[in-house]
Amino acid sequence: MTLEKQSDCTVHKTTIESSDIEAQPTEDTVSSDLDPRSGFPAYTRYAVIVGCFVLQGLSCGVVNSWGVQRQYLAANVYVGETSKIRMLSYTGTLMFFSLYLWGMLAGWLAEVWSYRKLCFVGVLAMALGQLLASFCEEPWQLCLTEGALFGLGVGFVFGPSSTAPARWFTKRRGLATGLAVTGAGAGGLVIAPLTEFLVHSVGVEWSLRVSATYIMVLGSIACYYTRVPFQDKTRTLRNFDWRAFGDLRFATNAGMVLFVAAGYIIPYAFLPEFWVAKGISSQTASVLIAVSNGASLLGRVITGFTADHFGVLNSLILGLGVTSLSCLLLWPFATNVGMGAVMSIFYGFGTGGYWALAPLVAAKLFGVDRLASISGVIFTVSAAGSWMGSPVANAMLERPGYGSDFIAVSTYAGSLWLAAFVLALVNRMLYSKKVFSKV
C-alpha cells in the first residue's frame, strides 16, 4: 500500500446517515453504493444477501419446523404424559424467546465487534445445541439444549443476518432485505418435510445429528459473506444511543413486536397437532407446514418489493392484517387439506411480510446507522412476549373440551396479531397522518 493510499484510508471520513464513521479497511469494510471507492468487488453486496439468506434458513427454518418434532414426540414418545408434553412446549418457546432475548447483545456485538464473527459463534451454538439434544432423554434436557443453547445461536444469527443487507442498499433496500429474509421461509419449506422424513426413518436422535451437521457446514460458509460496508470499531457500550427509550414510536414499535413474539410461534407449534386431531396424517401436516413456509418466502420478497414502492409502514399494516384474519377466520375451518392449505398460505404470506419489514421499520423510524443495535433493543424488550405464546396456548388445550377444536388457541393467536396490527397503525399515524402518503 502506498503512502498516498494509506493516508486516504486513515484520514478520510465517510458520512453514513446521521453520524460520521472513519472508513478504515477492516475485515468488514466492503464496497457499497454509499462509497464506491472501497477496494472490494461490486458483487459483494449480493454475496451478503445470499449469506444472510442461508443463515435465515438454517436458524428460522428449524424454529418454524419445531412443531413437526413436537408432534412426533407427543404422539410416539411421551404418550399420555401430560407434564412432559407441557414441558415440550417450553422447548419451542425457549427457541423463540432466545431469538428476542439476545437481540440487544447481538446488535451491539455486531456493530462494535464483527457481523461475521458473531454469526459464526451463533452457528456453532446452534449446531452444538442440536447435537447435544440428540443425546437427551427427558423434555427438560431438550429445553436446555435445543431450547436455550440452540436459541442462543439463533439470537446471535437472526439480528445480524436480518439487518446487514439494509446497510448495502438505499433505493432497493426493501427488496434486498426481503430477498435475504426469504431464507427463513425457504429453510422451513425444506426442513419441515426433511424433519418429518428423518424422525420416522432414523429417529429423533439421528434427525438432530443430521441437523447439527448441515447447520455447521452450510452456516460456516454463509458466515464468511455476512458483513457490512463499514464497521465502526470505535464504538463502545458507553456511547450506545439510549435516547430511543424515550421515543413514543420506539415504545409503540416494541409493543407491536411483543405481540408478534407471542402470536407467531403458536400456529407453527400447534397446527400439526390440530390437523392430526382432525384426521389428517402427520406426513400431510408437515407438508402443510412446508406450504406455509413457502408462502412465507413469497411474502418476504413481495412485501419487500411493495415497501420500496408504497411505503414500509403501509406494507406492514397490510401484512399484519392478513395474518390476524388468517388465525381468526381461517384456522377454525382448516379441518381438511384444502382449507389447511389456504390457512397455511395466508398465514405464511402475512408472517413472511412482517419479517421482511421488521428491520426496515426500525431503519425508517430510527435510521440505518444504528440498525443492528436498535433492532436488538426492540427484540430484547419484547422478549417477554414469547412466554405469552405457546405456554398459554398449551394451557388452553389442557382444559376439558379444548383438546380437539382448538378454537381458544386460534382465537388467542389471532387476537395477539390483531393487537400488533393496532399498534402498527398507531405508529403509522404518529409518523404521518396523511392517509395516502408513502411511508
Side-chain angles (χ1 to χ4, degrees):
M1 177 180 288
T2 64
L3 180 62
E4 179 182 359
K5 187 176 290 185
Q6 182 179 12
S7 174
D8 180 71
C9 289
T10 55
V11 303
H12 183 76
K13 300 274 182 101
T14 301
T15 301
I16 301 180
E17 294 297 316
S18 61
S19 64
D20 293 327
I21 299 176
E22 190 167 7
Q24 298 181 356
T26 68
E27 63 167 328
D28 289 307
T29 303
V30 284
S31 68
S32 78
D33 54 352
L34 298 178
D35 187 2
R37 291 168 300 178
S38 92
F40 285 80
Y43 63 77
T44 304
R45 69 181 70 184
Y46 305 109
V48 170
I49 293 177
V50 174
C52 292
F53 175 94
V54 173
L55 291 176
Q56 288 274 314
L58 294 174
S59 57
C60 297
V62 173
V63 174
N64 292 347
S65 303
W66 160 247
V68 175
Q69 184 180 333
R70 179 190 181 278
Q71 189 277 328
Y72 178 86
L73 291 172
N76 297 278
V77 180
Y78 305 118
V79 182
E81 300 183 63
T82 305
S83 61
K84 291 186 176 182
I85 293 176
R86 184 188 305 118
M87 184 65 69
L88 284 178
S89 68
Y90 294 141
T91 301
T93 299
L94 279 170
M95 285 183 183
F96 204 59
F97 173 71
S98 298
L99 183 156
Y100 285 92
L101 176 65
W102 302 109
M104 182 175 178
L105 177 62
W108 174 65
L109 286 175
E111 290 185 353
V112 304
W113 184 35
S114 169
Y115 275 66
R116 182 196 299 170
K117 293 177 181 178
L118 179 64
C119 285
F120 181 78
V121 172
V123 166
L124 183 62
M126 288 194 298
L128 187 59
Q130 294 289 86
L131 180 61
L132 293 177
S134 70
F135 298 100
C136 295
E137 297 181 354
E138 296 294 330
W140 67 266
Q141 296 170 335
L142 290 176
C143 286
L144 296 178
T145 54
E146 198 171 7
L149 182 56
F150 177 84
L152 171 66
V154 173
F156 278 2
V157 165
F158 179 77
S161 62
S162 297
T163 58
R167 297 283 300 272
W168 290 87
F169 296 86
T170 51
K171 294 181 180 179
R172 297 182 297 275
R173 181 174 292 160
L175 180 59
T177 302
L179 288 172
V181 299
T182 54
L189 183 64
V190 174
I191 293 174
L194 176 61
T195 302
E196 172 70 22
F197 169 76
L198 289 173
V199 296
H200 283 92
S201 58
V202 298
V204 173
E205 296 83 0
W206 276 103
S207 172
L208 290 167
R209 290 163 195 162
V210 171
S211 175
T213 302
Y214 65 67
I215 286 174
M216 195 69 234
V217 174
L218 297 177
S220 298
I221 298 173
C223 287
Y224 178 79
Y225 296 102
T226 304
R227 52 174 68 179
V228 291
F230 298 99
Q231 192 83 33
D232 185 4
K233 300 294 185 178
T234 64
R235 291 191 60 202
T236 66
L237 185 59
R238 291 183 178 181
N239 56 30
F240 183 85
D241 187 5
W242 299 97
R243 292 174 296 177
F245 287 95
D247 191 331
L248 179 58
R249 292 180 301 177
F250 176 88
T252 305
N253 198 57
M256 178 197 72
V257 178
L258 183 144
F259 286 115
V260 170
Y264 174 76
I265 199 64
I266 293 176
Y268 284 114
F270 292 96
L271 273 174
E273 185 177 347
F274 167 77
W275 284 320
V276 170
K278 298 301 180 181
I280 298 174
S281 69
S282 61
Q283 291 81 4
T284 303
S286 69
V287 171
L288 291 174
I289 291 295
V291 168
S292 182
N293 282 289
S296 175
L297 187 153
L298 291 177
R300 292 165 198 251
V301 175
I302 294 174
T303 307
F305 177 79
T306 59
D308 289 332
H309 292 80
F310 301 105
V312 173
L313 301 180
N314 293 335
S315 299
L316 177 68
I317 291 171
L318 178 61
L320 292 176
V322 169
T323 307
S324 59
L325 291 177
S326 69
C327 290
L328 292 172
L329 300 182
L330 296 180
W331 186 347
F333 304 100
T335 56
N336 54 62
V337 175
M339 283 302 298
V342 173
M343 160 64 190
S344 296
I345 291 171
F346 275 88
Y347 186 78
F349 187 91
T351 55
Y354 167 79
W355 290 116
L357 296 174
L360 299 178
V361 170
K364 180 79 172 179
L365 297 177
F366 311 109
V368 73
D369 186 33
R370 300 290 191 265
L371 181 57
S373 57
I374 290 294
S375 296
V377 170
I378 292 174
F379 285 159
T380 298
V381 169
S382 59
S386 302
W387 295 101
M388 297 163 52
S390 291
V392 175
N394 194 74
M396 291 177 176
L397 289 181
E398 291 179 356
R399 295 179 58 191
Y402 287 90
S404 59
D405 60 13
F406 285 73
I407 188 65
V409 174
S410 61
T411 303
Y412 178 58
S415 299
L416 292 170
W417 281 104
L418 187 61
F421 168 82
V422 172
L423 289 177
L425 186 61
V426 170
N427 233 353
R428 163 63 172 83
M429 300 308 295
L430 287 174
Y431 191 90
S432 173
K433 292 181 172 59
K434 296 181 180 179
V435 176
F436 298 104
S437 62
K438 175 186 173 182
V439 294

